[in-house]
Amino acid sequence: MPNQTSKRSWRADKLSQIGSSIFAEVSEWKQEAAQAGRHIIDLSIGSPDRGPSDDIREILSQEALKENNYTYPGTRGTMEFREQSAAWMKHRFGVNVDPDKEILALMGSQDGLSHLAQAICNPGDMAIVPNPGYPIYAGALAIAGVTPWYLPLKEERGFVPDLDSIPEEIWAKATFILLNFPGNPIAVQADLAFFEKLVGLAKKWDVLIVHDLAYSEMGFDGYRPISVLQAPGAIDIAVEFHSFSKSFNMAGCRIGFLAGHEEAVGALREYKSNIDFGVFKPVQAAAVHALRQAMADSREERGVASLYEQRRDVLAASLAEAGWDVPKPQATMFLWARLPQAFRNEAWSSRRFSRDLLLNTGVAVIPGDAFGSEGEGYVRIALVQEEAALREAAVRIGKFIGGVSP
């Protein structure tokens, strides 16, 4: 007989572990602010506010009209897409990857990030992830039944992870270590020496390196992010995610790829062959054109980087004028800002600051604790509005922080 005293829940317990609900919460704050008559300037979600180039859209349109593109595309990705991705890796980073065995097409890099642990780990395994870090890093582990070990990113170290701080017993237990250079929410940079050390440690302990390089084309001030696969021997111990969303403003297309270690790439390919049928062929064709276009451009053209560098400069300068000095990152589409001085006390959490800022000014940002415990005391500000809106946001923020006494 059914138990009549309790009601069955059709919601898995793991859903409470897959990450912060802050994005839904901020959406509710935005509705509340709008209902109060605030004009919203949304600097919360890291979604490009512009579309891809006319050429990319033209290719997508042409390919979408071809009847033979409406078959199942296959999980691996077309050979043309994989070959062009490999050619771009060689052009951009000087890295050789086998398009047949070492590249896998994805429905955006988040598709791969959310499924990789299920493909390469067993329940009860351990993985090392950054804190603060993009929420899906830890969320994907919860889904897979993998235990996270959080590697803190500290301001006193410039937010660069301290590899020497990882205990030997953690290295011995870990299946993989996931890092993100330049990062989200923090534009942490890594040089080749860091990657060489990481590769050495990973080989010593037989730990797979998973590198999220979604912001590879968003470097500023002459800085160009590098690939972990540039480190000697990395192909034997590392995989790397690449995204077309940020690099080519193709966020709605949902396409990216994984490159690197053959067995790990193959495991994700095998897993995904059971859960989806791949990326729509016209989208892959558009992505091929985007890569060819990037390879044909001169270094000086810099793709999307120049737009976000100019926005960074405008917002940082405007915030300084408003009384809030925020460091200027050398990459990505985000500012990572410590709360203004008057808010650095027990009365103000990053979440309270973000909510009150939105309700009082209409400016939406994300509280740092959404990315992990080490994010408390900070907020993430996305550079996803035109310059006039960024200047207006800074003026509103200045009035808000000026109304709070130290």
Side-chain angles (χ1 to χ4, degrees):
M1 291 288 293
N3 184 349
Q4 302 295 325
T5 61
S6 63
K7 186 178 183 301
R8 184 193 302 273
S9 172
W10 286 283
R11 180 183 183 277
D13 293 341
K14 68 178 103 177
L15 290 180
S16 299
Q17 306 171 43
I18 62 175
S20 171
S21 61
I22 189 60
F23 296 102
E25 195 172 338
V26 171
S27 179
E28 294 176 358
W29 299 348
K30 283 186 280 190
Q31 292 180 21
E32 188 178 349
Q35 290 170 356
R38 303 294 183 195
H39 170 256
I40 306 300
I41 301 179
D42 195 350
L43 307 181
S44 61
I45 307 300
S47 177
D49 57 307
R50 295 188 181 184
S53 69
D54 291 344
D55 287 353
I56 294 172
R57 284 182 281 168
E58 184 66 29
I59 293 293
L60 181 60
S61 299
Q62 291 172 3
E63 293 294 320
L65 292 173
K66 296 179 180 179
E67 187 173 3
N68 62 355
N69 277 333
Y70 286 85
T71 58
Y72 290 130
T75 303
R76 301 180 68 185
T78 65
M79 179 54 78
E80 183 184 29
F81 174 78
R82 286 180 280 124
E83 287 180 342
Q84 193 60 52
S85 297
W88 180 80
M89 290 290 291
K90 177 66 174 177
H91 170 83
R92 176 67 175 80
F93 304 108
V95 168
N96 292 309
V97 287
D98 183 343
D100 191 46
K101 299 178 180 178
E102 297 174 338
I103 287 185
L104 174 66
L106 299 168
M107 297 177 182
S109 58
Q110 180 148 324
D111 168 26
L113 287 164
S114 61
H115 292 120
L116 182 65
Q118 296 173 74
I120 67 173
C121 295
N122 294 311
D125 284 354
M126 175 181 287
I128 302 168
V129 291
N131 179 9
Y134 188 49
I136 196 59
Y137 297 165
L141 301 186
I143 294 171
V146 174
T147 301
W149 189 87
Y150 293 106
L151 179 58
L153 308 183
K154 298 286 190 179
E155 186 171 2
E156 54 266 30
R157 286 185 48 86
F159 299 107
V160 176
D162 182 2
L163 297 177
D164 294 328
S165 71
I166 303 173
E168 289 192 353
E169 57 266 28
I170 298 301
W171 279 115
K173 291 178 181 178
T175 301
F176 69 86
I177 178 171
L178 193 161
L179 294 172
N180 179 206
F181 302 107
N184 175 10
I186 313 172
V188 182
Q189 300 169 46
D191 57 17
L192 191 57
F194 180 92
F195 280 142
E196 289 173 346
K197 180 174 182 177
L198 176 63
V199 167
L201 286 165
K203 286 189 171 184
K204 175 182 177 180
W205 295 102
D206 198 22
V207 172
L208 182 73
I209 299 167
V210 179
H211 186 220
D212 179 8
L213 191 48
Y215 301 94
S216 67
E217 306 311 290
M218 288 187 180
F220 314 140
D221 305 322
Y223 165 62
R224 298 197 84 193
I226 65 174
S227 167
V228 68
L229 299 177
Q230 290 176 244
I235 195 71
D236 301 323
I237 200 73
V239 292
E240 186 168 80
F241 287 103
H242 288 270
S243 169
F244 288 73
S245 298
K246 308 304 191 294
S247 298
F248 305 108
N249 291 334
M250 295 176 66
C253 295
R254 306 315 305 136
I255 186 164
F257 66 87
L258 177 67
H261 188 271
E262 179 182 339
E263 184 181 18
V265 170
L268 184 57
R269 180 174 61 243
E270 183 179 353
Y271 178 83
K272 281 178 56 61
S273 70
N274 288 280
I275 62 172
D276 68 61
F277 290 99
V279 179
F280 188 35
K281 287 181 182 178
V283 170
Q284 294 189 61
V288 166
H289 184 79
L291 293 174
R292 288 175 178 162
Q293 196 173 58
M295 292 169 66
D297 286 346
S298 67
R299 183 184 177 96
E300 288 71 29
E301 292 183 69
R302 301 175 57 227
V304 298
S306 56
L307 170 68
Y308 289 99
E309 181 176 343
Q310 180 62 25
R311 289 181 177 182
R312 174 206 66 173
D313 292 344
V314 165
L315 183 56
S318 299
L319 287 172
E321 291 176 8
W324 190 9
D325 288 322
V326 175
K328 291 168 60 174
Q330 281 195 282
T332 80
M333 60 197 306
F334 306 109
L335 301 185
W336 182 247
R338 194 176 179 201
L339 296 186
Q341 188 64 49
F343 298 85
R344 298 175 191 174
N345 56 65
E346 293 182 357
W348 288 92
S349 65
S350 60
R351 192 161 299 213
R352 180 189 170 190
F353 175 87
S354 300
R355 185 176 188 277
D356 283 15
L357 175 68
L358 178 51
L359 296 183
N360 282 276
T361 72
V363 178
V365 301
I366 296 294
D369 69 337
F371 304 96
S373 59
E374 294 290 342
E376 180 53 68
Y378 300 84
V379 295
R380 192 194 73 175
I381 309 173
L383 302 168
V384 292
Q385 298 284 344
E386 299 293 350
E387 292 178 18
L390 295 175
R391 290 191 178 94
E392 172 61 23
V395 170
R396 297 185 193 179
I397 291 170
K399 291 178 180 177
F400 175 72
I401 64 178
V404 176
S405 301

